[in-house]
Amino acid sequence: MYRTSRSLSRSEYEKANRLAKKDFLANISKGKEGYLPCLEDIIHNAEIIKEEKLGLIDIPIERIKGTYYHSRSLSFSANFYPLMKIDSEFASKWINLYEAHISEGIRDPVTAYEYLNWFYIVEGNKRVSVLKYSDAFSVRGEVTRLIPKWDENNPEIRIYYEFLDFYKKTKINIIWFNKEGKFKELYELIKDYKKKSDFVENEYDELVHSVYLLFRKLYREIAKDTISLTEEEAFLEYLKKFGLENVPTIEREMSEQVNELIEELEERLGKPSEPLFKLPQIFAGKTLKVAFLYNTSIEESAWTYSHELGRRYVQKRLGNEIITKYFENISDLKTYEKILEQLEEEKFDLIFSTSFDFLQNQNTKELQNVRFMYFSGYRTTKNINTYFGRMYEPRFLSGMIAGAMTTNNKIGYVASYGIPEVIMGINAFALGAKAVNPKAKIFVGWTNTWRNIEYERDTSEYLINEIGVDVLTHHQDSPEVCKVGEEYGVYTIGYHIDMKDYAPNTHLTSVVWNWGVYYENIIKDVLRGSNFSLFRLFSGSEKIENFWGGLKSGVVCLSPISKIVPSTTKNLVYTVKTDIMENRFHPFRGGIFDKEGNMKVSEGKDISDEELMKMDWFVDNVYYS
């Protein structure tokens, strides 16, 4: 019996682990953090004016956002599912908790902080993970509330202070609004509620369980994302329409009311429409208005700056044929929607978004625009085209330069996440180094983030001081690694943009994006009145596919190679570059062996795109912890 039960629980862990990896990759490819959010990082620069003990309360599972400690966040994906391998001690403990939950329920309370009505677990992370996976409703927890300083200019803080007043009166924490005034509006609608059971101490707790949760269940089932209104705001509309005194507790009767409400809301608000992918030919001969949406700042993000260079390039190349505008630091849906409304009013025709963030939860009115979403090639969605580049090609060339320039055969690589996009870059770089120097070893230091200057600096200094590397490169969103290399007199290779200005004495080259080439091709096609030259841009296929251009397309390349690099090395790099562009050579041409000595690419064979996009192994001269 135990073996059967244990086997089933183990299978559940494996399923949860697969879902965790899927969620991790989806978030990483959107430019988001893949791991669980940690409160340590979130409140690092926040001013907390008060800690308030809430005691032992019911914490809604869906309001649990993360953990407190950064070190613990790395064991979970952002949805709180487990990332650790099945044969780990972590997995064994998770499985034990899962069995306990199934047999008798998890009774031990967790310890947590509440910040902006999100909960972050101090003790009990695996318990929460099991409960999240099991779709539990709540968990008991000892909670301490962290109250930030009032900020008149911060709408999130203003809404939170409104919530604090609402919570003080009702003790309701499962309902949250993103607009000011809504908590006050809800309280006025429910303040006279009288409990119907003598076994319930708090009438509002009864209201939540007997009315709100039933409404939410029905709204989710019936509306099915057809209305651009959150379930909390819909609940307000429901109470205003029918009145609290007329709300039934029988599901069938409430279902009839919810259907009636939804019909009214659809008529009043309209159904959200899907963004159009193809542009009509009416754009031919007119000045095209093109917007660029950046989720980070131009100055702080090398990734965003590379796209901004593309915008400037295409504006200069096409002159009066187009008008461009950019928006940066778009970090939340509310800001994004306001920008879309502005672009609609200003009659913009084409939108390039450099992050997949902007696609999610889109609740906007009909927009006659086209969106191109960067998504690293993991998946596409209806009406959305993804675009990226074969960055592994210039990575291979930069690896050749590093292999030729190292004097002790130790080369450092500061990397973000162990996902296919990053791994293929590391492997291509390592193969390039090995091609010119069989003794070259690549030492990888992980930061587990796209951009964190402190982590990037610490990892770079570790590789220099502890490992002894004499060449540094990176897959990060800032030039910090190059800055550290310059300080320590270590050769550097940049990423995203030409980073020679950050390391004038040690910079060898950079692997860079030339997004202007891509943008120019697309915009020219629109100006000619076509729906894009799909045959030319998308690898000879008339299907809407990922644009994954390499050195030949000009989307990816090497920046000018430094004078420090000997001419013999430069000539060799240029020769290999030409061979790649003319399809005479592939950076992943076998035989290639992994760390365990397994042949991953057969002798004389080239790796397929499908294998590249799911790469989870390292070549035999890569070392990492």
Side-chain angles (χ1 to χ4, degrees):
M1 178 67 72
Y2 174 78
R3 287 184 178 178
T4 302
S5 173
R6 191 68 175 179
S7 176
L8 290 173
S9 300
R10 183 183 174 91
S11 296
E12 292 299 326
Y13 182 86
E14 291 174 334
K15 180 180 177 182
N17 182 244
R18 289 194 297 272
L19 292 171
K21 292 176 180 177
K22 181 179 179 181
D23 180 73
F24 179 89
L25 292 175
N27 279 296
I28 292 304
S29 56
K30 298 172 193 173
K32 295 181 177 180
E33 296 296 337
Y35 295 109
L36 199 61
C38 67
L39 191 57
E40 271 187 328
D41 291 344
I42 293 170
I43 64 173
H44 181 68
N45 294 316
E47 186 174 349
I48 306 299
I49 62 168
K50 183 181 179 181
E51 292 191 10
E52 179 182 336
K53 298 289 185 181
L54 300 184
L56 190 63
I57 67 171
D58 285 326
I59 306 173
I61 292 294
E62 65 180 36
R63 299 302 302 176
I64 299 178
K65 193 169 190 175
T67 183
Y68 179 79
Y69 299 105
H70 176 79
S71 57
R72 295 185 182 180
S73 71
L74 304 182
S75 299
F76 305 92
S77 59
N79 62 0
F80 233 123
Y81 284 11
L83 281 170
M84 306 301 286
K85 294 181 178 179
I86 185 64
D87 57 354
S88 65
E89 181 183 358
F90 174 98
S92 179
K93 292 180 178 179
W94 194 98
I95 291 170
N96 289 338
L97 285 168
Y98 179 80
E99 291 179 336
H101 173 64
I102 295 301
S103 62
E104 58 186 33
I106 291 177
R107 299 174 182 176
D108 293 336
V110 300
T111 306
Y113 282 109
E114 183 254 86
Y115 179 67
L116 299 179
N117 199 33
W118 289 106
F119 295 85
Y120 300 85
I121 304 302
V122 179
E123 292 293 338
N125 289 285
K126 284 187 283 293
R127 274 170 272 168
V128 170
S129 179
V130 167
L131 292 171
K132 286 261 190 184
Y133 175 72
S134 303
D135 201 25
F137 176 72
S138 65
V139 63
R140 297 287 281 174
E142 284 284 349
V143 177
T144 301
R145 170 174 284 155
L146 301 180
I147 301 178
K149 182 181 179 180
W150 169 258
D151 185 352
E152 177 67 32
N153 298 316
N154 187 330
E156 186 177 29
I157 299 297
R158 296 200 303 267
I159 292 171
Y160 181 65
Y161 269 74
E162 185 180 318
F163 161 78
L164 291 178
D165 182 62
F166 175 79
Y167 181 83
K168 184 178 180 181
K169 297 172 181 175
T170 66
K171 295 299 185 287
I172 296 175
N173 57 16
I174 193 172
I175 295 176
W176 181 259
F177 295 102
N178 292 315
K179 296 178 181 178
E180 292 182 73
K182 296 297 181 180
F183 282 109
K184 295 178 182 178
E185 189 176 348
L186 177 60
Y187 180 70
E188 289 301 314
L189 290 168
I190 67 173
K191 66 180 181 181
D192 296 326
Y193 180 79
K194 299 293 189 295
K195 65 179 181 177
K196 298 175 175 58
S197 172
D198 294 332
F199 299 101
V200 179
E201 292 184 13
N202 181 357
E203 64 269 25
Y204 297 115
D205 187 54
E206 181 186 81
L207 173 69
V208 165
H209 286 85
S210 64
V211 179
Y212 173 70
L213 292 180
L214 179 56
F215 169 84
R216 189 179 72 171
K217 171 181 176 291
L218 293 169
Y219 184 74
R220 288 177 177 179
E221 291 174 355
I222 300 171
K224 296 179 181 177
D225 300 322
T226 60
I227 299 175
S228 57
L229 200 67
T230 67
E231 55 203 31
E232 292 88 352
E233 290 180 279
F235 185 58
L236 276 179
E237 296 296 324
Y238 174 73
L239 293 178
K240 286 189 287 187
K241 177 176 176 62
F242 295 102
L244 191 60
E245 67 279 3
N246 298 316
V247 170
T249 56
I250 300 174
E251 183 171 335
R252 177 180 55 79
E253 294 178 359
M254 186 180 286
S255 178
E256 294 174 358
Q257 291 182 338
V258 173
N259 270 300
E260 184 180 338
L261 174 71
I262 289 173
E263 288 178 5
E264 181 180 300
L265 291 175
E266 285 179 345
E267 184 176 343
R268 189 200 322 167
L269 303 175
K271 296 183 179 181
S273 61
E274 296 178 349
L276 300 178
F277 180 80
K278 294 186 177 182
L279 285 178
Q281 294 190 2
I282 59 172
F283 293 132
K286 64 171 276 189
T287 300
L288 199 70
K289 301 178 78 171
V290 185
F292 293 77
L293 309 186
Y294 308 139
N295 67 339
T296 52
S297 74
I298 294 169
E299 289 187 2
E300 295 182 354
S301 168
W303 166 253
T304 294
Y305 183 58
S306 70
H307 285 277
E308 172 60 10
L309 290 177
R311 182 194 70 82
R312 296 174 189 176
Y313 170 90
V314 77
Q315 179 68 79
K316 184 176 181 180
R317 291 273 295 180
L318 299 179
N320 295 329
E321 292 184 273
I322 64 170
I323 296 172
T324 66
K325 176 181 283 191
Y326 70 86
F327 299 84
E328 58 182 323
N329 272 327
I330 309 173
S331 58
D332 61 88
L333 181 63
K334 187 175 181 180
T335 302
Y336 169 58
E337 289 180 341
K338 285 184 177 179
I339 290 171
L340 286 187
E341 290 175 4
Q342 177 184 339
L343 293 175
E344 179 73 356
E345 290 176 4
E346 297 178 7
K347 301 186 184 305
F348 268 73
D349 306 307
L350 182 62
I351 297 174
F352 288 104
S353 292
T354 61
S355 169
F356 203 75
D357 293 0
F358 307 133
L359 175 67
Q360 305 303 315
N361 301 317
Q362 183 179 321
N363 296 317
T364 59
K365 59 184 178 179
E366 184 176 356
L367 296 169
Q368 301 301 311
N369 294 315
V370 172
R371 274 163 206 91
F372 273 79
M373 313 300 295
Y374 149 66
F375 194 49
S376 301
Y378 283 108
R379 67 178 176 88
T380 57
T381 60
K382 188 176 181 181
N383 295 328
I384 299 299
N385 177 56
T386 67
Y387 58 97
F388 206 57
R390 298 183 186 275
M391 183 53 77
Y392 65 85
E393 292 181 353
R395 285 280 191 197
F396 182 92
L397 301 179
S398 68
M400 293 175 63
I401 295 172
M405 295 300 291
T406 179
T407 59
N408 64 5
N409 301 319
K410 294 181 178 181
I411 302 169
Y413 201 119
V414 180
S416 50
Y417 295 99
I419 61 173
E421 173 196 333
V422 179
I423 292 173
M424 77 172 77
I426 294 171
N427 282 341
F429 181 83
L431 290 170
K434 188 177 182 181
V436 298
N437 181 355
K439 296 181 180 180
K441 296 179 180 179
I442 312 302
F443 294 87
V444 181
W446 301 100
T447 64
N448 297 311
T449 181
W450 289 119
R451 187 182 189 279
N452 185 307
I453 291 175
E454 182 181 350
Y455 294 173
E456 293 167 38
R457 174 166 286 273
D458 289 346
T459 306
S460 299
E461 291 180 340
Y462 168 79
L463 291 171
I464 293 171
N465 296 325
E466 301 299 324
I467 304 299
V469 302
D470 61 358
V471 182
L472 266 180
T473 191
H474 66 96
H475 192 132
Q476 299 289 163
D477 205 14
S478 90
E480 192 65 19
V481 173
C482 290
K483 291 181 181 178
V484 175
E486 179 77 3
E487 292 173 17
Y488 283 85
V490 170
Y491 289 134
T492 57
I493 295 173
Y495 178 49
H496 283 315
I497 59 173
D498 189 346
M499 292 187 170
K500 65 178 182 297
D501 291 341
Y502 299 98
N505 299 304
T506 62
H507 180 262
L508 300 176
T509 188
S510 292
V511 285
V512 301
W513 296 100
N514 288 328
W515 289 116
V517 174
Y518 175 83
Y519 293 145
E520 183 180 14
N521 284 334
I522 290 293
I523 293 171
K524 276 185 175 179
D525 283 346
V526 175
L527 288 169
R528 286 194 293 266
S530 73
N531 286 318
F532 316 141
S533 293
L534 299 178
F535 186 84
R536 174 168 50 81
L537 280 176
F538 301 105
S539 306
S541 171
E542 290 293 345
K543 292 171 60 181
I544 305 295
E545 297 174 349
N546 295 344
F547 173 62
W548 206 19
L551 289 167
K552 188 174 183 179
S553 74
V555 170
V556 295
C557 68
L558 282 183
S559 69
I561 301 174
S562 169
K563 295 179 181 179
I564 303 172
V565 179
S567 58
T568 51
T569 300
K570 289 182 182 179
N571 291 336
L572 179 59
V573 169
Y574 293 145
T575 298
V576 175
K577 177 183 177 182
T578 301
D579 286 345
I580 293 174
M581 293 173 67
E582 298 300 324
N583 296 319
R584 292 192 293 265
F585 175 73
H586 194 292
F588 285 95
R589 177 163 294 169
I592 299 175
F593 294 86
D594 67 10
K595 294 287 294 177
E596 285 70 43
N598 303 309
M599 179 171 280
K600 305 299 290 187
V601 185
S602 301
E603 191 72 37
K605 299 292 185 180
D606 294 343
I607 197 168
S608 68
D609 285 353
E610 290 73 21
E611 290 172 303
L612 281 171
M613 292 311 301
K614 60 182 181 181
M615 184 173 283
D616 60 356
W617 50 271
F618 291 94
V619 298
D620 54 10
N621 64 327
V622 173
Y623 298 82
Y624 59 93
S625 59

